[in-house]
Amino acid sequence: MKQFLPILMVLLMASCQQKAPAPNQNEYPIQPVPFTEVRVTDDFWSQRIRTNHEVTIPIAIQKSEETGRIDNFRIAGGLKEGIFRSPFPFDDSDIYKIIEGAAYSLQMFPDAEMEATVDSLVILIGLAQEDDGYLFTNRTIMGENGHDWIGKTRWEKVDDLSHELYNLGHFYESAVAYYQATGKREILDIAIKSADLVDKVFGHGKLENWPGHQEIEIGLVKLYRATGEKRYLDLAKFFLDVRSDGIGRKNSYNQSHIPVVEQSEALGHSVRGAYMWTGMADVAALTGDQSYVDAIGRIWEDVVYRKLYITGGIGAEGGHEGFGGPYELPNGKAYCETCAAIANVFWNHRMFLMTGDARYMDILERSLYNNVLSGVGVSGDLFFYPNPLESNSQHQRSEWFGCACCPSNISRFIPSMPNYIYALKDNSVYVNLFVASETHLHVGGAHLDVAQETQMPWDGKVVVKVNPDKPLKADFHIRIPGWSSENPVPGDLYTFADALAEPVKISVNGKAAKFELLNGYAVIDRKWKAGDQIEVEFPMQVRKILSHPEIAANVDRVALQRGPLVYCAEWPDLPDSLVSNLVVSREVQPEANFEAGLLNGMVTLSFDAEGTRRTADGSVETYAKRAKVIPYYGWAHRGKGEMAVWLPTTKESSSPIPGPTLSSTSVVKASHPTDALKAVNDQVVPESSGDENHPFYHTWPRRKQTEWIEYHFTQPTEVTTSRVYWFDDEPRGNCRIPEKWRLLARQGSLWKEVAVSGPEGGKKDAWDEVTFPAITASAMRLEMNFPGDFSGGVHEWEVK
Ligand SMILES: [Zn+2]
């Protein structure tokens, strides 16, 4: 703790690593100012919150109706005949999340029609609940013939994929939210009846098993808070303590490999993990269990020091929707599920409430403004499930998903966003996010109006107006974000390439004020009177970010951040629509411009850069091009094309435009044409057949058929050589080198065989080259047959 007299300079370091103190019994020591007490007055978030109400929630209800998710409740409740109508046993949870979102949204936008719709959903849920409280439409409808994942009897596969308890967790969250929003008890009574059944079945000496997908822990804690029934808190703690210790199958995929209090690493499915760590924080706050606090502190470090994307995203791998190893953070195939980013916000908020340390809010803000916001388009009706940091044109937003967890999660998260702006502890007021807003607090026996005036995230000036109804001794904790100090995130996963030219400036009523720095906050302690104001000027310098050298995908690359927003280069903003061949100086000094007409208005950054292209002799030359980058959340609103967050800083790390070769000037056709086909003649040579960091073409999910690629030349040309670099993602993926291939040349209208593979088929991790007697052809065809049930692919194919 240091004293700074008159202000101005602030050189802030991430606060020293210290063990979090044991939380108080009963509750978090710091309490959030609930979103119902905060009125957002800005353009940025208020548009999102309104769009969520007017577009996203109605669409989510409509899609749930179209996909049978609501009918499942009608059928289970006996109002309709039929079988379970939607794809997954967890589909009930989408309805619950939408109700939760509507409950929050109705408190800002009273809407009789939406409320009536929710009331009717509540009636359906009540009808679908079985007499003893069991609530799970798939089993109620299908009996013993339910989904493969759920087992023949209740709870049989609860530790696996049945999602019986997962659904209930979301239901309890929605029940508490809707009851608190409307005062209508029906939904809460259904939840109590359900939780009482779960409590009767599960527990020490009863069924000692755990949920395969965590979530009920969070829901039970909320139900406990709403009802005061301690059995629900005990049950939440039971589900955590029994993990890996009961009768279920231990599995790191769902964090049940060892007892939760012994865990130190972020492993497995990222949404499951982050919901569990959120639940552990809740239970620790209410019970004072220090072993939970220690475990989530260790896991948090593993995430933030080794497994976090610069967008705040978590979960590198699509295969298990979860964490990769340390520093395993690929960009193009980054998973970064929207739900995981939301869960990361939940978790970090709890960590802050427990400790009062701003570093958790840094991670929260990073996830919120980047990965979470990327998950929903500005129009509120198009979504991302994974949020990669690079695109080779293959990505676009979807109207909905078969597995709809992400859009329904967005629908409940966005209206609760004002929950994260302010917090309170005794006479301490925390200003955590810089969002134009107003709130009314009760502090030290006084009524205190607090308002922020700011154009954040576009402009760094923030005025906090402090209006107590009588003179008030209190301290304001103004968060000093990582992006305006020395370190983008705690640890050394990311560092700034540049120094901060201007420090954060803080004054009170226009004059130097006394404050101290504590846990990442500027703490201003004084006697406040009506009309006082705190003025903060955050430097909006564009920060250049470098990665830890162990992150292979980011070597010789830089990312740009301004304020809380991470930027990306996207194809419409480059003169030649090419991102992958960009070379950006690490010393780049971009020019920031507010563009009112672009995606509800945003600050874009422009600068001089270079592009690379290959010459006829294979060498690489550069050319000047003007580049513009946009906030990452705004990508994929303007059609498909290239995008990258991490921009090459050297010629070698960029992908040059192919040189004028026979292959690159050909028209490419294929039996299975996809956007990825352009990879075969892009002249980017992979490091191995399994190299997924460079573009490749594949035929998955097609199998057991002859596939082909053709090069059609601009004019008949003499050809003597062909070489192919095959794609093969053994053992994880479904592509293998071909078991046989052959090469044909077209003369007139006839295809003539010029080469075939040997008995071993294709060659792996190297060029597979053949020469043959010169033939003049108008086109060449590569025919491929892949082994057994596998597909295959091609990194590169050259003909000469
Ligand atoms: Zn999701």
Side-chain angles (χ1 to χ4, degrees):
M1 200 186 295
K2 301 169 196 162
Q3 285 280 347
F4 284 93
L5 275 187
I7 47 133
L8 297 181
M9 86 53 59
V10 186
L11 192 81
L12 299 157
M13 317 275 293
S15 58
C16 299
Q17 190 56 44
Q18 34 174 257
K19 216 170 182 189
N24 288 346
Q25 296 269 330
N26 306 326
E27 250 318 338
Y28 285 106
I30 302 174
Q31 286 294 302
V33 176
F35 66 89
T36 46
E37 303 295 322
V38 178
R39 195 168 77 86
V40 172
T41 55
D42 76 345
D43 289 332
F44 187 82
W45 284 105
S46 60
Q47 274 186 20
R48 291 286 192 152
I49 294 166
R50 180 171 286 279
T51 300
N52 189 73
H53 185 85
E54 291 174 353
V55 180
T56 310
I57 292 174
I59 278 182
I61 293 170
Q62 180 201 332
K63 292 286 180 188
S64 297
E65 192 65 90
E66 288 168 13
T67 55
R69 282 165 166 78
I70 299 177
D71 266 352
N72 288 336
F73 288 91
R74 295 192 182 100
I75 297 165
L79 294 180
K80 206 167 174 173
E81 294 284 305
I83 60 169
F84 188 78
R85 284 201 51 206
S86 64
F88 299 107
F90 52 74
D91 290 337
D92 293 356
S93 67
D94 293 324
I95 305 305
Y96 304 147
K97 280 185 273 183
I98 295 164
I99 292 174
E100 188 186 346
Y104 299 153
S105 207
L106 284 167
Q107 294 178 69
M108 284 168 277
F109 308 105
D111 178 337
E113 192 185 331
M114 185 180 286
E115 190 168 336
T117 302
V118 175
D119 288 342
S120 67
L121 290 173
V122 173
I123 291 170
L124 293 180
I125 295 166
L127 290 170
Q129 185 173 40
E130 297 188 20
D131 289 343
D132 65 352
Y134 187 73
L135 179 59
F136 185 61
T137 64
N138 190 281
R139 192 182 307 285
T140 303
I141 295 170
M142 304 300 290
E144 286 191 0
N145 304 309
H147 199 283
D148 285 348
W149 293 353
I150 74 169
K152 290 215 177 303
T153 56
R154 285 183 185 183
W155 322 117
E156 185 186 330
K157 294 189 178 179
V158 70
D159 57 312
D160 191 9
L161 290 173
S162 84
H163 291 84
E164 280 158 294
L165 295 174
Y166 166 83
N167 285 359
L168 294 180
H170 279 302
F171 178 57
Y172 301 160
E173 286 202 78
S174 75
V176 171
Y178 196 62
Y179 166 66
Q180 289 176 342
T182 62
K184 296 175 184 172
R185 252 205 90 89
E186 291 80 359
I187 191 167
L188 190 66
D189 290 336
I190 301 168
I192 289 169
K193 191 170 168 187
S194 159
D196 287 346
L197 173 72
V198 176
D199 182 48
K200 210 163 108 186
V201 172
F202 289 89
H204 298 291
K206 296 182 262 185
L207 180 52
E208 296 192 348
N209 208 345
W210 60 84
H213 194 317
Q214 301 89 323
E215 159 62 25
I216 195 168
E217 302 83 356
I218 299 172
L220 282 166
V221 167
K222 287 191 175 177
L223 200 58
Y224 158 68
R225 286 202 187 103
T227 61
E229 178 53 76
K230 185 159 175 298
R231 283 181 297 123
Y232 304 149
L233 174 61
D234 296 341
L235 191 55
K237 187 166 189 319
F238 161 78
F239 281 130
L240 291 165
D241 291 339
V242 79
R243 229 172 165 75
S244 97
D245 200 30
I247 60 166
R249 191 168 61 92
K250 300 178 185 188
N251 193 342
S252 63
Y253 167 71
N254 62 23
Q255 297 86 24
S256 63
H257 52 301
I258 53 173
V260 297
V261 295
E262 292 172 20
Q263 296 185 21
S264 302
E265 276 183 281
L267 299 174
H269 189 266
S270 47
V271 181
R272 283 170 165 81
Y275 281 176
M276 179 170 95
W277 307 322
T278 301
M280 285 171 71
D282 281 347
V283 171
L286 294 163
T287 63
D289 191 322
Q290 185 65 39
S291 61
Y292 279 24
V293 177
D294 293 344
I296 53 181
R298 293 190 302 268
I299 296 165
W300 186 88
E301 276 195 9
D302 189 44
V303 172
V304 174
Y305 294 11
R306 289 174 283 276
K307 296 174 180 170
L308 180 79
Y309 281 95
I310 195 65
T311 52
I314 52 173
E317 289 196 356
H320 65 285
E321 300 191 312
F323 293 98
Y327 307 110
E328 189 185 328
L329 295 164
N331 291 316
K333 63 189 186 90
Y335 203 63
C336 293
E337 183 179 339
T338 301
C339 286
I342 290 173
N344 204 19
V345 169
F346 293 159
W347 179 32
N348 277 282
H349 193 227
R350 266 76 165 187
M351 297 296 279
F352 158 73
L353 296 174
M354 202 178 270
T355 61
D357 197 321
R359 63 200 174 129
Y360 302 112
M361 291 307 300
D362 271 4
I363 304 299
L364 183 156
E365 182 188 58
R366 186 169 287 281
S367 183
L368 174 67
Y369 277 86
N370 299 291
N371 195 149
V372 172
L373 268 192
S374 165
V376 55
V378 293
S379 55
D381 55 356
L382 291 169
F383 306 93
F384 269 133
Y385 192 122
N387 295 271
L389 280 76
E390 188 170 307
S391 181
N392 183 31
S393 312
Q394 70 272 44
H395 301 99
Q396 83 190 110
R397 294 173 184 278
S398 295
E399 290 183 2
W400 199 246
F401 304 97
C403 169
C405 55
C406 293
S408 59
N409 223 345
I410 281 285
S411 79
R412 72 161 177 156
F413 178 80
I414 294 287
S416 73
M417 175 271 157
N419 207 34
Y420 304 103
I421 302 175
Y422 303 101
L424 210 50
K425 181 189 181 186
D426 306 323
N427 278 27
S428 300
V429 180
Y430 288 82
V431 181
N432 275 324
L433 297 178
F434 304 102
V435 177
S437 56
E438 298 166 357
T439 187
H440 180 84
L441 309 171
H442 300 270
V443 179
H447 290 272
L448 173 62
D449 286 322
V450 176
Q452 281 189 68
E453 289 177 1
T454 177
Q455 298 295 318
M456 277 282 203
W458 312 125
D459 182 88
K461 190 169 165 54
V462 178
V463 175
V464 181
K465 299 199 157 184
V466 182
N467 272 309
D469 65 347
K470 57 187 178 198
L472 169 68
K473 180 95 168 67
D475 52 76
F476 268 74
H477 283 56
I478 307 290
R479 178 174 147 261
I480 307 298
W483 50 261
S484 66
S485 70
E486 295 291 287
N487 219 355
V489 292
D492 64 353
L493 194 56
Y494 301 106
T495 48
F496 288 127
D498 55 346
L500 203 57
E502 288 276 319
V504 179
K505 295 173 187 157
I506 305 176
S507 56
V508 173
N509 299 333
K511 277 187 277 181
K514 187 166 124 178
F515 66 89
E516 59 189 21
L517 289 171
L518 180 64
N519 292 335
Y521 291 89
V523 182
I524 308 169
D525 188 359
R526 54 178 273 152
K527 198 156 200 172
W528 303 91
K529 57 180 190 336
D532 282 348
Q533 59 178 42
I534 306 165
E535 299 103 6
V536 189
E537 186 83 46
F538 290 109
M540 296 303 269
Q541 174 182 340
V542 178
R543 306 302 307 264
K544 275 88 77 176
I545 301 174
L546 304 176
S547 281
H548 192 287
E550 293 273 336
I551 306 179
N554 298 344
V555 171
D556 288 333
R557 284 167 188 261
V558 66
L560 303 177
Q561 177 166 352
R562 182 177 181 274
L565 299 170
V566 173
Y567 278 70
C568 70
E570 198 187 18
W571 65 278
D573 304 313
L574 291 153
D576 49 12
S577 301
L578 291 175
V579 170
S580 53
N581 83 332
L582 203 56
V583 180
V584 176
S585 162
R586 272 167 59 165
E587 279 77 50
V588 64
Q589 297 293 340
E591 192 181 290
N593 295 298
F594 185 74
E595 296 192 39
L598 187 59
L599 301 173
N600 290 347
M602 54 169 53
V603 169
T604 61
L605 308 176
S606 299
F607 49 92
D608 289 324
E610 290 179 314
T612 56
R613 65 184 163 218
R614 224 172 268 281
T615 58
D617 68 6
S619 62
V620 176
E621 64 178 18
T622 59
Y623 60 96
K625 68 173 171 181
R626 185 81 179 155
K628 184 167 101 177
V629 295
I630 64 166
Y632 171 73
Y633 74 75
W635 82 285
H637 284 83
R638 297 170 291 172
K640 279 176 155 185
E642 292 186 342
M643 181 280 290
V645 169
W646 289 97
L647 306 175
T649 54
T650 61
K651 280 201 295 192
E652 293 69 28
S653 54
S654 80
S655 298
I657 299 171
T661 63
L662 186 55
S663 312
S664 72
T665 55
S666 296
V667 172
V668 189
K669 297 181 180 176
S671 53
H672 178 53
T674 64
D675 287 336
L677 191 57
K678 66 180 184 180
V680 302
N681 63 347
D682 65 0
Q683 295 172 10
V684 180
V685 182
E687 278 163 23
S688 66
S689 288
D691 180 353
E692 294 182 38
N693 287 325
H694 295 105
F696 57 88
Y697 164 78
H698 66 84
T699 62
W700 171 257
R702 288 154 59 100
R703 292 164 300 149
K704 298 182 192 292
Q705 52 195 315
T706 301
E707 305 285 357
W708 51 263
I709 303 173
E710 289 173 2
Y711 283 158
H712 291 258
F713 307 145
T714 51
Q715 60 187 58
T717 308
E718 191 179 276
V719 183
T720 62
T721 310
S722 159
R723 57 177 193 163
V724 183
Y725 207 118
W726 303 105
F727 174 70
D728 182 323
D729 55 3
E730 187 186 17
R732 282 192 304 196
N734 293 294
C735 291
R736 298 292 181 271
I737 55 172
E739 64 181 5
K740 60 181 184 183
W741 58 262
R742 62 181 193 142
L743 195 66
L744 303 103
R746 185 150 123 166
Q747 290 188 303
S749 60
L750 292 178
W751 286 102
K752 189 176 165 188
E753 184 179 282
V754 296
V756 295
S757 65
E760 270 91 65
K763 214 188 254 179
K764 197 170 162 178
D765 297 328
W767 285 107
D768 196 355
E769 180 166 333
V770 286
T771 55
F772 42 86
I775 185 167
T776 300
S778 60
M780 298 292 289
R781 171 191 284 195
L782 178 62
E783 275 186 8
M784 306 161 282
N785 292 92
F786 300 105
D789 255 355
F790 292 107
S791 309
V794 170
H795 269 290
E796 201 66 23
W797 177 32
E798 288 180 8
V799 291
K800 282 190 245 188

